Amino acid sequence: MSLLRPIAAVATAVALLAACDPRPTASPASSPSRGPDAADTGARVEAVPPPEDVPRAWWESGSGAERVPGERVYSSWFVDGELKEATAEGVADDVRAPATDRVTIELATGVSPVRVDLLLYDSLSASGTPTGMIDEYECALTDADPRAADAADPDSGDAARADAGPGTECVYRTGDPVEVSAQLPPEVRVVIVNAGWYVPSEEREANEEAPPEVSASWAFVVEEAS
């Protein structure tokens, strides 16, 4: 397992939610090279500063279902020029996302992240800790429409499909908003979305403490299918 991926289990809700955010390192999975040079799909991410504020995330399950806002559970972001971390003590379950086999998650920004990861769990404890990790997706950058991914032929080479794990898939596309599309197992009850935005070299040179990326995580609690 990549060291950039969150650990599967920890002792407390705070530790787990903080672990849901892979910290910036020089690994290819989170370095600027993954975004600006996504040769496997032909898509590219422009090396521009990250959004000024942490964007919101929205769950869209289609079929006219209501859009559900994600709960921000972690962020490592520049605030007034200073890098600050914020971690939730648990995931609230008062706002539920409708169950779906394929979800589109919108990140409300026109600045594309250099990586997007999804963590899938089968339950949420009384303390708000996601438990029972099902899978981890490393979403592939694509220039195709993620909403069309479920109709694409997996053998066609279509950029809208990219394996993100055994029998699963997750892709994201640049735009305003950024769209993430993923196939979800029916047993999923908690989805953690983590995204990282590239910090350009000139920004890092101006601030010696600047990491190669800023990042944030959002949680969605999924209703059981009726």
Side-chain angles (χ1 to χ4, degrees):
M1 178 181 296
S2 169
L3 293 178
L4 289 175
R5 289 191 171 194
I7 57 177
V10 292
T12 66
V14 173
L16 176 57
L17 292 173
C20 286
D21 190 307
R23 304 305 173 83
T25 75
S27 168
S30 67
S31 69
S33 62
R34 177 178 173 185
D37 187 21
D40 56 332
T41 64
R44 296 177 64 86
V45 171
E46 187 178 358
V48 298
E52 182 176 349
D53 300 312
V54 179
R56 300 189 70 183
W58 298 87
W59 179 281
E60 291 204 349
S61 55
S63 303
E66 181 181 357
R67 296 169 76 236
V68 176
E71 178 187 358
R72 192 200 307 173
V73 293
Y74 180 84
S75 64
S76 175
W77 214 265
F78 285 106
V79 179
D80 297 327
E82 182 180 352
L83 186 67
K84 294 185 178 180
E85 286 188 319
T87 305
E89 294 185 357
V91 178
D93 65 352
D94 53 343
V95 178
R96 298 260 176 163
T100 181
D101 58 351
R102 172 169 288 280
V103 65
T104 295
I105 297 172
E106 292 186 355
L107 304 181
T109 177
V111 182
S112 182
V114 293
R115 62 168 182 81
V116 178
D117 302 300
L118 266 60
L119 295 92
L120 311 181
Y121 300 86
D122 64 14
S123 61
L124 185 68
S125 73
S127 65
T129 306
T131 60
M133 179 173 279
I134 298 172
D135 211 338
E136 305 170 42
Y137 296 174
E138 291 184 10
C139 305
L141 177 64
T142 179
D143 56 4
D145 183 359
R147 297 175 187 265
D150 54 352
D153 181 355
D155 298 322
S156 67
D158 194 315
R161 292 187 67 99
D163 288 340
T168 59
E169 60 182 332
C170 180
V171 295
Y172 73 100
R173 181 177 67 164
T174 61
D176 191 1
V178 173
E179 291 185 344
V180 183
S181 180
Q183 191 77 25
L184 301 179
E187 64 271 25
V188 168
R189 292 295 169 265
V190 182
V191 176
I192 302 288
V193 184
N194 174 259
W197 280 263
Y198 173 50
V199 178
S201 57
E202 58 268 26
E203 297 286 331
R204 299 199 303 274
E205 291 170 358
N207 185 341
E208 294 182 356
E209 301 299 321
E213 69 173 41
V214 293
S215 54
S217 297
W218 303 264
F220 296 92
V221 180
V222 184
E223 296 175 337
E224 293 190 25
S226 57

